Amino acid sequence: MTGFLLRRLGGAVFVLLSLTVVLYAVFYVAPGDVAQIACGPRCSPAQVAQVTAQLRLDDPVYTQYLHFLQGIVAGRDFSTGTGVEHCSAPCLGVSYQSDQQVMRLILTKLPVTGSLVIGAFALWILLGVGTGVLSAWRRGRITERLLTWLTLAGTATPVFVIGLLLIIIFCSTLQWLPSPTYVPFTENPEQWAWGLLLPWVSLALIESAKYARLTRSSMLETLAEDHVRTFRAYGVSERGIIGRHALRGALAPVIALSALDFGTMFGGAVLTESLFGIPGIGRELVHAVKVVDLPVVVGMVLVTGFFVVLANAVADMLYALADRRVVLS
Amino acid sequence: MTTPLVQVEDLTIDFGTVRAVDRLSFTLEAGAALGVVGESGSGKSASASALLGLHRGTGARVTGTVRVAGTDVGAADDAELRRLRGAKAAMVFQDPLSSLDPYYTVGDQIAEVYRVHNSVSRRAARARAVEVLDRVGIPDAARRARSRPHEFSGGMRQRALIAMALACEPRLIVADEPTTALDVTVQAQILDLLHDLRRETGMGLLLVTHDVGVAAESVDDVLVMQHGRAVERGPVAEVLGAPRQPYTRELLASVPRVDEKRAGVPGPRTATEAGPLIEAVGLRREFGRGAGRVTAVDGVSLTVHAGETLGIVGESGSGKTTLGRMLVRLIDPTAGRLRYGGTDIGSLPERELRPFRRELQMVFQDPVASLNPRRSIGESVADPLRAAGETDEARIRDRVRELLERVGLDAGRYERHPHEFSGGQRQRIGIARVLAAEPKLIVCDEPVSALDVTTQAQVISLLAELQRELGIGLVFIAHDLAVVRQVSDRVAVMRQGRIVEQGVADDVYGSPRDPYTRQLLAAVPALDPVRAAARRAARRELAAA
Amino acid sequence: MSEALLVQEAGAAPAAAPASGARQFWRRLRAQRAATVAAAVVLLLFLAALAAPLLAALAGQDPDTYHPGLVDSAAGGVPVGSFGGISADHWFGVEPQTGRDLFARVVYGARVSLGVAVVATVLQVTIGVTVGLAAALGSRLLDQVLSRITDINVALPLMVIALGLLAIVPSSFPRPVLIALVIGGINWAGTSKIVRAQALALKSLDFVSAARLSGRGRWSIARRELLPSLAAPVITYAALLFPVNITVEAALSFLGVGIKPPTPSWGQMLTEADTWYQSAPTYLLLPAGLLFVTVLALTVLGEGVRTALDPRAASRLRIGTGREERQERTKERAS
């Protein structure tokens, strides 16, 4: 078991390293005048020259990359023209357009995205697994058909469509809720929750459809297995079989997918944040893309990639823990 | 007069348009044991499931009356049915691995069942689980109860399932092919266990099996089924000793006997003058790396001559399949030499192996997996011809038709796909494909173990016939000692990757020298109940020694 | 995604299921009512997209002409008339502010949405099958390398990378093509993982061993024995990917980094409608509804295809199990 976990972790580190190479190659090597792009369209030639020097763009590509990597692992210093600014350990560079260190920018956005993801996550697990269990239990009945169609509709609806509809219904037509605005939890917990209610619900509705399907299909798969027949033949009731045996079979895939989605979402629930105007990582990324703030874009993509790789590794480990047969076979 | 434990009248089961069981009637007295014997599709398992009402909710249509331990299974409501299941009548299923929940410990699963029928505490239920696990002979039951099914061996799992059946002290145990997935020595242990339990507890036993020998070992009465109907019923000695119905006679005639010499062959024909066709010296194969390394075949040496059959017997995990696949180079040997026609083919790279490929052929175990479901059988058989460079379509067709007819199939079914054929027919197609390559050596890996006995006998005689005709060397790998005896000139017994005994078939079977061979032979079920009892005693002695 | 999950998602039992010919496939597909309706809807959408210029001409409109007279500039550019200005000339009404014909914009938008998704899906499947097959059939080293590359591919968060790439590629590059390339180039890992797993499972089956013993070469075996059996899981997975690709394109355009105006696309129409939902709700509901119907129809069709190709997996998932399939199952149990 330990060996498996270590191997999986080693694999994750390798993938992360490769990711930095790929990203560096795509964003810093491929396009034309990197310094101009990174600095922004309004930069003077002098500023561009400074950026070129900072990013060592005149060096060979591999030294450039090594400096980039060194920044991430050990931190690096940037000359700001007047003095030297130190960018400590996980240094993802400096945004020339907003004069800010990318890592600090991301750290200020993280709690915002966190608020959105954690709340939505709790909702969608409850809703999704609950729906899945219900439709597996009532299989072959009208309830199941109804739930099947609802989940299909859920998977077919983009989150920005359901979000828009919810805003129209609850904020403008019925006027039950104020327009969603983000208030930090530390400032006012009640307004924090009210402001995030609609984003949570939108995200949870869409995500839960996936979980409902996964839960149901895993449970039905288990229900078709021989050992369920054994327990039926020993007088165990349907409720016992669903609640004890079928649900246990669905546990491993659901846990693994949760870890995966949780991590991926942390990299920015781009659409939800943009739609509801939540100032998190995703919205910041969209902004950076629109104004072509290269260091921010690369930094955010890298952080998101980090979350995905981490989530993948954790998902695999949880899967193995929940279903030890995986490791053995 | 007491009411019988099981009373079945006019039981008919339909799956859609298929009638699985047709007006079946039988009774089983309390404490008695009845064996239901039949080939696949005879409806024996469907009948057994009907005793516990397991068809309810599956879409099968069940008519007729079934009474078990005072419960009318057809009329009972769900709650009443649940009170019957496990408490009054308990079922032991075929595949012990898939029949237990992989996520819970064995003890917990037995305790769960116990608590369904008895309102006791969790702790008391666990104690009961340990008690019954101990009863079925699981060593250190208190500790093993905390293990999950995959940590058990096949035989231990089957014991655990029997323990589950015992937990609520039922009056009837229904065992559906309880030993089919097990090795012969383990099968003997399980059958002995069932025998002892029945004597001690006085419960009734309904044993469903395709293996006449298993029934002979374990029951008082036997019921032979075919196509959903009862063919013959009577005391086991009578039915097996003097069958009245033609089907029963045919069935019994097809069963290979381990204690009979090979029929119609004038002794071993080991042709020594020409030198061996293939010779393996110190063949070895390892799988995995580091700590997980296992040695599947551990230094095996053997020879096969043209026109000769070498039988290889062994239980699961003995390495016989790996050895067979190495002989035709589907698996590369880790070490050792494999000489064929003066060349060491054991280490040849794929490209240089080409000229030898077609001369070394294999007949596979699973008739389903050995044919590509998406290609017509004619095309599959034509493969070796095309690979040999034949391009004339008309000639290919003619040759394939000829081969299909040779193995007893209708040549007109060239364009049909594998799923349109029965298991035995598919095995014939596999043989036709092998013949198309004009081989010198054929390795048959369990070629008949997936087939019914009557089909088994036909395929075996086809193989023997072809061998006589073509003078090829044959390696016959099987777990079934009786089958191997009926086809082999010489026999090798494998255990844990090694050959423990090798010699002329009649010598090995008649006077085995290795203790493992003796143990194997003692475990083979006998068709004669009297002899079965004697074997049981012999097994006890071997176990005690 | 974790391998086990992926295989589960594609309903991929070892592909050695009984042969299902094209005819059987159609019969099984038609036996499902929902899938048939979905197929009709999808067909209609594709026809509309293909015939967009024709349909627009039929309505006597084009997607780019401004009709300032049809919007009330005093009220901020709200279309004149009820339901967003629906009239005999403008079947779906007109766009606020500009007065462009919405019917024409919607059918032209369908071209972009469906076209991008088709190219992206084809790309994903091509790359995925090639990488997966090469990993399964090539040497151990090749497998290791390709599997690592696949892992890296999995670690690329689609939306985020797409956003990043769209930022740096010069705007002279045609956007729809770029988006299709980005989606196809980033999101192929699923296909390759499924193909690899299936090909490995197939490779261990006896009929492949038999083909080797027949003396046939590696590529002949791959073509004749493996590829036909891989078709079912690949088609199933592609059918499920297609609607996802439509959503991704719509999302990128919605974020304002996808298809650039004046080219119409449903996602981009949604962004613009975002500010108009109070005064001109039709303008919002139109692309939202279309997107929903399209993706739903495609998803249902995808499930139908899965059921038709692999009834066993579908019965496990209980999605539109047709009558015929139930009978097959009962027969199976009987034998």
Side-chain angles (χ1 to χ4, degrees), chain A:
Chain A
M1 195 72 194
T2 324
F4 170 80
L5 295 181
L6 281 178
R7 264 204 316 282
R8 193 62 194 77
L9 216 59
V13 170
F14 172 79
V15 169
L16 266 179
L17 266 178
S18 318
L19 192 64
T20 60
V21 177
V22 172
L23 289 181
Y24 199 85
V26 166
F27 288 99
Y28 282 104
V29 182
D33 190 352
V34 176
Q36 182 72 57
I37 296 177
C39 187
R42 281 186 300 275
C43 278
S44 66
Q47 285 168 311
V48 172
Q50 194 194 344
V51 170
T52 308
Q54 275 186 4
L55 295 176
R56 302 187 184 239
L57 292 175
D58 293 330
D59 289 0
V61 173
Y62 69 92
T63 12
Q64 287 178 38
Y65 168 72
L66 284 179
H67 275 287
F68 174 72
L69 194 64
Q70 185 205 338
I72 297 174
V73 180
R76 67 200 274 198
D77 293 323
F78 287 97
S79 69
T80 52
T82 50
V84 172
E85 187 184 344
H86 180 69
C87 172
S88 58
C91 173
L92 296 171
V94 175
S95 160
Y96 302 102
Q97 299 189 18
S98 63
D99 269 332
Q100 216 179 359
Q101 287 188 12
V102 175
M103 200 60 212
R104 283 193 199 146
L105 185 71
I106 291 174
L107 285 177
T108 58
K109 303 293 177 189
L110 210 54
V112 183
T113 300
S115 304
L116 172 66
V117 174
I118 290 169
F121 179 77
L123 260 182
W124 87 57
I125 290 287
L126 274 176
L127 198 63
V129 174
T131 312
V133 170
L134 189 63
S135 57
W137 186 27
R138 312 297 291 176
R139 62 192 179 283
R141 319 249 179 112
I142 189 82
T143 320
E144 192 217 0
R145 289 184 71 88
L146 197 75
L147 289 176
T148 304
W149 278 101
L150 273 178
T151 47
L152 260 181
T155 43
T157 318
V159 67
F160 48 92
V161 169
I162 196 111
L164 271 174
L165 291 178
L166 287 178
I167 293 177
I168 294 176
I169 295 170
F170 290 103
C171 303
S172 66
T173 312
L174 297 173
Q175 301 207 321
W176 287 356
L177 292 170
S179 289
T181 41
Y182 179 76
V183 179
F185 183 78
T186 44
E187 228 166 75
N188 186 335
E190 202 188 327
Q191 277 182 28
W192 170 82
W194 278 113
L196 282 169
L197 186 61
L198 274 189
W200 282 341
V201 170
S202 317
L203 202 54
L205 278 177
I206 300 307
E207 284 292 318
S208 67
K210 199 161 65 182
Y211 284 78
R213 286 166 56 117
L214 183 66
T215 307
R216 188 186 63 148
S217 66
S218 317
M219 285 180 75
L220 289 177
E221 206 171 322
T222 311
L223 285 173
E225 276 174 25
D226 282 349
H227 68 258
V228 167
R229 184 187 62 182
T230 307
F231 290 96
R232 285 223 173 87
Y234 278 90
V236 176
S237 63
E238 188 66 18
R239 185 190 294 200
I241 282 171
I242 290 274
R244 218 174 126 74
H245 299 281
L247 195 57
R248 181 62 184 79
L251 199 63
V254 167
I255 287 181
L257 186 66
S258 312
L260 206 59
D261 276 347
F262 191 72
T264 314
M265 282 288 170
F266 244 88
V270 180
L271 287 164
T272 318
E273 288 182 7
S274 297
L275 177 68
F276 291 103
I278 300 168
I281 292 178
R283 206 172 78 133
E284 188 58 34
L285 175 63
V286 175
H287 173 74
V289 166
K290 281 186 179 159
V291 301
V292 200
D293 192 344
L294 197 59
V296 177
V297 171
V298 175
M300 292 215 161
V301 172
L302 199 58
V303 166
T304 311
F306 170 74
F307 279 123
V308 173
V309 171
L310 196 70
N312 257 299
V314 171
D316 277 0
M317 289 176 201
L318 286 178
Y319 197 102
L321 280 174
D323 190 347
R324 284 159 185 263
R325 288 172 305 169
V326 173
V327 191
L328 289 163
S329 59

Side-chain angles (χ1 to χ4, degrees), chain C residues 239-256:
Chain C
L240 296 172
L241 265 180
F242 188 68
V244 174
N245 290 336
I246 290 202
T247 317
V248 172
E249 182 276 316
L252 289 174
S253 299
F254 174 77
L255 292 174

Side-chain angles (χ1 to χ4, degrees), chain B residues 495-535:
Chain B
R495 187 192 194 189
Q496 292 171 357
R498 294 169 180 275
I499 291 182
V500 295
E501 183 162 3
Q502 189 170 194
V504 175
D506 287 342
D507 295 348
V508 173
Y509 281 80
S511 46
R513 283 178 322 231
D514 190 82
Y516 177 68
T517 316
R518 281 204 284 275
Q519 202 187 333
L520 274 182
L521 284 169
V524 177
L527 283 179
D528 176 2
V530 180
R531 198 178 288 173
R535 286 245 175 98

Side-chain angles (χ1 to χ4, degrees), chain C residues 42-133:
Chain C
V42 170
L43 193 69
L44 206 68
L45 283 164
F46 267 95
L47 284 178
L50 281 175
L54 207 69
L55 286 173
L58 204 67
Q61 300 296 338
D62 68 84
D64 299 322
T65 308
Y66 284 41
H67 300 281
L70 292 174
V71 291
D72 183 357
S73 47
V78 179
V80 179
S82 52
F83 300 114
I86 289 180
S87 65
D89 286 337
H90 302 281
W91 299 347
F92 287 178
V94 296
E95 196 180 45
Q97 202 94 54
T98 62
R100 287 184 290 193
D101 182 66
L102 279 183
F103 177 73
R105 290 192 71 73
V106 160
V107 288
Y108 272 93
R111 284 194 139 184
V112 176
S113 294
L114 295 177
V116 166
V118 166
V119 176
T121 310
V122 168
L123 208 62
Q124 284 164 346
V125 169
T126 316
I127 301 177
V129 170
T130 314
V131 172
L133 261 188

